[in-house]
Amino acid sequence: MATLNTLRTRGGVIVSIVIGIALLAFLLGDLSSAGNMMNARKMRVGEIDGNKIGYLEYTEQVDYLTGIQQTMTGKDALSSEEQMQVQNFAWDNLLNKYVLAPGFEDAGILVSENEQVDMVDGNYISPVITGTFVNPNTGVYDPAMLRNFVSNMDQDPTGKAGMIWNYMKNQMVKQRLFTKYVGLVSKGIYVTDLEVEQGVNNANSLSNIAYILKEYSQIPDSTVTVPESDVRKYYKEHERMFRQSASRDIEYVVFDVLPSQDDYAAVEKTVNEMAAEFAAAENPFQFATLNSQIPPVKRYLTENQLPAPLAGYAFGPDSKQMYGPVLDNDVYTMARVADVKMLPDSIGARHILLPADKKAQADSILTALKGGASFAELSEKYSIDSQAKLRGGDLGVFSPDQMVEEFSQAALDTKQGDFFETTTRFGIHIGQVTSKSKPVKKVQLAVITDKVEPSEATQQAVYGKVSQFIAAANGSAENFAKAVSDNALSKRVARIHNTERNISGMDNSREIVRWAFNAEQGDVSPVTEVDGNYVVALLTGVSEDGIAPLTAVSQNIATILRQQIKGKMLSDSLSGGTSLQAVATKVGAEVKEAGDVDFNSFYVNGVGVEPALIGAVSAVQPGALSKPVVGMAGVYLFDVTGRQNTDNVTPESERARLESMGLSYLSERVSQVLVEAANVKDNRVKFF
């Protein structure tokens, strides 16, 4: 109904606003796979602050929010992307229920009834409201749209408008509670005078340096031994560095299911037979509608609205003949010009929209308009299009393809200034054409497309090869590798995190992801169809949520410690010199220069990202030789050849910058801390 139509173009805004301030699932986990599928632990999709989240509790949230989203958008079914958004929002709602809401209540943070009224019609209106009821003409919040929605709620016999309103009120309260909490935390962020003074000094000082660099790669790894005891010690002292989310490593192969030569020949024969009938058809558009894999576009199109080959045909000298059949990218295309008309590119119109069962009232209004009645007054009184009625029913200027087909056709068939009546899925329209652009040549093109696809026999043949591959690959990673080699296949690898629903670079691979999180290491997947091809995967690695085991990170730790040892060795080789040039000569290094080194930056011209070097430069006086600086690429030795002071930064601007840095991403960081403290485990990837 009309009250819901006012929201359908803005429905996504409500969700995006709340998602923007809702908790994010940063910490992800896994559940035990013990027991059968009906076991309670097996049916647990997660855990939040000690609360076990069951499958039914989560799906109830998903179903509720799916209904909200469908009502908002007017869709009967959601796309996979929209379904994923709903699933994530349902999880955020549970995070709010078990993490935020109890904490707010304990802290005495609340939203009173008077404040809730003010959020709708007061001085501090909720962004849920201001982001939803936006006038499409001005692009700003329109209180009249809100009042119209609320006043018409009771006219909705389905109750959906009331459901949406209750949902919005709930989101307004959640948003305000979280904003208050973040506001309290922000008061603890303070910039001291010393920080400002140091920041100004650092920002207003630019240094030029001469330096030498001894790279880590100059010492072979094989010459540096890292004791296992040092690796274990480092791991124990830096455990938090190795926190990980649940993930799975897989190797997989793709069996492309492509048309065979027999498939091409069969389709070519069918297309040629169809082309002969198409060329002789008295009604080419009807023939195309009945025979094309993709229904032809009924609208009349200009030359620049068509693909170049079809435009050249339809507006060229051969337009009375048939185009094609042409095979391009496995798709046959043939076309005929069904009709040619001189039509406007744009139309101006206004309308009064009535419910579909108000035909007698529509006829009466049309008669009144033809008799000179005020269109704006009748629109205000009778129209259920709440947006257009605010403008006297005016729909502005639009191209015919912007409106539903029945309305556009009626407007095209009506002279400027005349009235018309037509019915669409929205109801009965009493319209008037207010303007028309100069007519231009347009064609209605009857296009038939027929894609060459693998036949059932071809699919079965490929499936047979896949089955043989699985039989050979099962049992071990060695068997999988041998089967890949024997079949001359290209093996691919992927790491899948439990926040992902597809393998990177492979859309619609959700079934493989779900399998990976329910399988055991070493398992080979069943045949999985992805976009018409067959995929088989091997689960090579399992990582659970929490601290990675030492065995998984020992090599990384050894690399870190090896670089530290190299840093010490290189530092020793650069020490003890009296000048930069003398040290460079001793170690065989080239003296290079870099300018405008700024403490507040992270990048040195000609060097790269070297924060340790930048920090050291600010602490060395001009003319003095530095101590060796262990950086990211190697070890540096430098002297400051020049330094100049600027007045680019003032104490006021620096204080504002530091305060802004402290407040940036505060909401996200607060959410992350709260989720970490709640020990959240997210196992939805096993189910959805």
Side-chain angles (χ1 to χ4, degrees):
M1 61 178 292
T3 54
L4 294 180
N5 287 337
T6 64
L7 295 185
R8 283 177 176 162
T9 58
R10 306 297 305 172
V13 176
I14 299 176
V15 174
S16 63
I17 289 172
V18 181
I19 286 179
I21 58 92
L23 285 173
L24 305 176
F26 288 98
L27 299 180
L28 306 165
D30 199 4
L31 288 173
S32 169
S33 59
N36 57 51
M37 283 302 294
M38 297 307 295
N39 185 279
R41 286 178 60 81
K42 189 69 176 179
M43 296 304 290
R44 191 183 301 163
V45 299
E47 184 174 324
I48 301 175
D49 200 23
N51 297 280
K52 308 301 188 292
I53 309 302
Y55 181 87
L56 291 178
E57 180 179 11
Y58 176 69
T59 53
E60 283 176 359
Q61 281 284 329
V62 172
D63 291 344
Y64 167 68
L65 292 171
T66 297
I68 293 291
Q69 184 78 342
Q70 288 176 330
T71 302
M72 287 286 196
T73 59
K75 297 180 178 179
D76 293 329
L78 302 182
S79 66
S80 58
E81 183 178 344
E82 289 169 329
Q83 289 171 348
M84 177 63 66
Q85 183 185 52
V86 165
Q87 290 171 5
N88 289 335
F89 192 30
W91 186 249
D92 287 341
N93 274 359
L94 292 170
L95 288 167
N96 182 84
K97 175 181 178 181
Y98 291 113
V99 177
L100 282 185
F104 293 156
E105 185 176 354
D106 292 343
I109 302 174
L110 52 82
V111 178
S112 67
E113 291 185 6
N114 288 338
E115 188 175 359
Q116 292 181 45
V117 172
D118 183 78
M119 285 193 294
V120 176
D121 186 18
N123 296 320
Y124 301 99
I125 298 177
S126 169
V128 175
I129 295 293
T130 58
T132 302
F133 296 96
V134 176
N135 189 305
N137 293 321
T138 63
V140 298
Y141 166 61
D142 189 342
M145 291 179 61
L146 169 63
R147 288 192 293 270
N148 183 66
F149 175 80
V150 175
S151 63
N152 288 328
M153 246 190 327
D154 293 339
Q155 300 178 21
D156 176 17
T158 67
K160 291 182 178 180
M163 178 185 70
I164 293 295
W165 182 238
N166 289 332
Y167 169 77
M168 291 176 62
K169 289 191 294 184
N170 183 263
Q171 301 312 308
M172 284 188 284
V173 171
K174 287 182 181 179
Q175 187 273 341
R176 181 61 59 86
L177 285 169
F178 190 77
T179 300
K180 287 184 176 184
Y181 180 76
V182 172
L184 287 174
V185 176
S186 70
K187 298 304 179 183
I189 297 176
Y190 178 73
V191 177
T192 67
D193 293 341
L194 181 61
E195 288 176 308
V196 172
E197 181 182 355
Q198 185 174 354
V200 170
N201 293 336
N202 289 333
N204 287 337
S205 178
L206 298 178
S207 301
N208 298 326
I209 63 171
Y211 69 94
I212 57 176
L213 167 65
K214 295 286 287 183
E215 296 179 345
Y216 297 121
S217 59
Q218 293 176 324
I219 301 177
D221 287 352
S222 59
T223 65
V224 180
T225 301
V226 179
E228 290 186 13
S229 58
D230 289 355
V231 172
R232 290 193 297 270
K233 180 181 178 182
Y234 188 93
Y235 176 78
K236 184 176 181 180
E237 294 175 349
H238 300 83
E239 276 190 343
R240 289 182 62 83
M241 286 179 55
F242 306 110
R243 181 177 292 278
Q244 65 182 10
S245 61
S247 65
R248 299 293 185 266
D249 293 325
I250 65 170
E251 296 177 354
Y252 67 98
V253 291
V254 178
F255 291 81
D256 294 322
V257 183
L258 302 174
S260 66
Q261 291 301 317
D262 289 343
D263 296 335
Y264 280 102
V267 174
E268 181 180 18
K269 181 175 182 296
T270 300
V271 165
N272 287 335
E273 291 173 353
M274 186 189 305
E277 295 180 35
F278 186 39
E282 293 185 5
N283 189 332
F285 197 88
Q286 183 184 57
F287 187 92
T289 302
L290 294 174
N291 291 279
S292 179
Q293 288 184 345
I294 301 175
V297 177
K298 192 174 182 179
R299 299 194 313 272
Y300 287 74
L301 304 173
T302 60
E303 185 173 2
N304 60 9
Q305 290 177 309
L306 291 168
L310 290 176
Y313 154 72
F315 289 85
D318 298 326
S319 61
K320 295 186 181 301
Q321 309 299 319
M322 185 181 77
Y323 171 85
V326 174
L327 178 64
D328 182 33
N329 198 25
D330 284 350
V331 177
Y332 278 101
T333 302
M334 62 186 95
R336 283 183 59 188
V337 175
D339 196 13
V340 179
K341 286 184 178 181
M342 298 297 291
L343 296 170
D345 269 338
S346 62
I347 303 171
R350 53 183 178 175
H351 82 148
I352 297 169
L353 179 62
L354 300 178
D357 60 352
K358 300 291 184 181
K359 181 66 171 67
Q361 186 180 62
D363 294 341
S364 177
I365 291 174
L366 182 60
T367 300
L369 289 172
K370 290 180 177 180
S374 168
F375 201 104
E377 290 179 3
L378 292 176
S379 174
E380 173 64 27
K381 185 174 182 180
Y382 295 108
S383 182
I384 60 174
D385 185 343
S386 56
Q387 293 186 37
K389 71 191 297 182
L390 297 174
R391 305 182 299 272
D394 187 22
L395 297 170
V397 177
F398 51 88
S399 62
D401 57 352
Q402 286 181 285
M403 297 294 182
V404 289
E405 183 179 334
E406 298 88 350
F407 186 89
S408 292
Q409 191 59 53
L412 286 170
D413 293 340
T414 303
K415 295 180 180 179
Q416 182 172 330
D418 286 355
F419 299 96
F420 63 88
E421 182 180 323
T422 188
T423 301
T424 72
R425 65 177 183 271
F426 297 109
I428 303 173
H429 305 258
I430 302 96
Q432 181 184 29
V433 176
T434 57
S435 67
K436 281 188 176 182
S437 63
K438 182 180 178 180
V440 296
K441 181 181 178 181
K442 295 187 178 185
V443 299
Q444 184 187 56
L445 205 58
V447 180
I448 295 177
T449 57
D450 197 337
K451 184 176 182 179
V452 182
E453 295 180 311
S455 64
E456 185 175 345
T458 300
Q459 295 177 45
Q460 289 177 348
V462 177
Y463 192 91
K465 293 180 181 179
V466 180
S467 298
Q468 293 174 5
F469 173 87
I470 290 178
N474 265 315
S476 68
E478 290 76 15
N479 289 348
F480 188 88
K482 185 177 186 305
V484 170
S485 176
D486 291 346
N487 288 272
L489 296 169
S490 176
K491 182 176 67 178
R492 310 175 194 182
V493 298
R495 172 165 293 175
I496 313 165
H497 293 277
N498 67 343
T499 53
E500 299 170 331
R501 296 298 180 266
N502 286 300
I503 298 171
S504 178
M506 186 187 295
D507 293 337
N508 304 315
S509 54
R510 178 69 191 94
E511 288 303 317
I512 302 175
V513 174
R514 184 184 293 115
W515 165 83
F517 277 88
N518 285 286
E520 300 290 337
Q521 186 168 337
D523 286 354
V524 174
S525 75
V527 182
T528 305
E529 183 178 343
V530 179
D531 293 334
N533 298 319
Y534 298 127
V535 179
V536 180
L538 168 72
L539 184 59
T540 58
V542 174
S543 297
E544 302 298 356
D545 181 67
I547 304 300
L550 176 59
T551 53
V553 297
S554 59
Q555 290 299 320
N556 292 338
I557 295 175
T559 299
I560 295 171
L561 295 177
R562 187 177 295 112
Q563 183 163 304
Q564 290 180 358
I565 295 172
K566 289 183 179 182
K568 178 66 168 59
M569 296 168 64
L570 294 173
S571 295
D572 290 343
S573 70
L574 295 176
S575 298
T578 57
S579 69
L580 186 67
Q581 186 59 57
V583 176
T585 301
K586 183 182 76 170
V587 300
E590 178 186 359
V591 177
K592 299 180 180 180
E593 295 183 347
D596 295 336
V597 180
D598 176 5
F599 180 83
N600 287 340
S601 68
F602 63 93
Y603 183 88
V604 178
N605 293 328
V607 177
V609 179
E610 286 290 1
L613 176 61
I614 294 172
V617 168
S618 67
V620 174
Q621 295 301 315
L625 182 64
S626 74
K627 295 179 179 180
V629 177
V630 178
M632 300 183 71
V635 178
Y636 296 86
L637 191 71
F638 68 90
D639 56 29
V640 178
T641 58
R643 179 169 289 156
Q644 67 180 72
N645 295 321
T646 67
D647 56 358
N648 294 330
V649 176
T650 65
E652 292 76 18
S653 66
E654 180 63 9
R655 184 179 296 277
R657 185 185 73 85
L658 292 174
E659 289 177 346
S660 176
M661 286 180 57
L663 294 173
S664 63
Y665 306 112
L666 181 59
S667 295
E668 181 178 321
R669 290 168 180 167
V670 166
S671 297
Q672 183 175 1
V673 169
L674 292 173
V675 172
E676 287 180 355
N679 191 26
V680 174
K681 297 180 181 179
D682 182 355
N683 301 306
R684 292 175 296 151
V685 69
K686 290 187 173 185
F687 300 89
F688 303 95

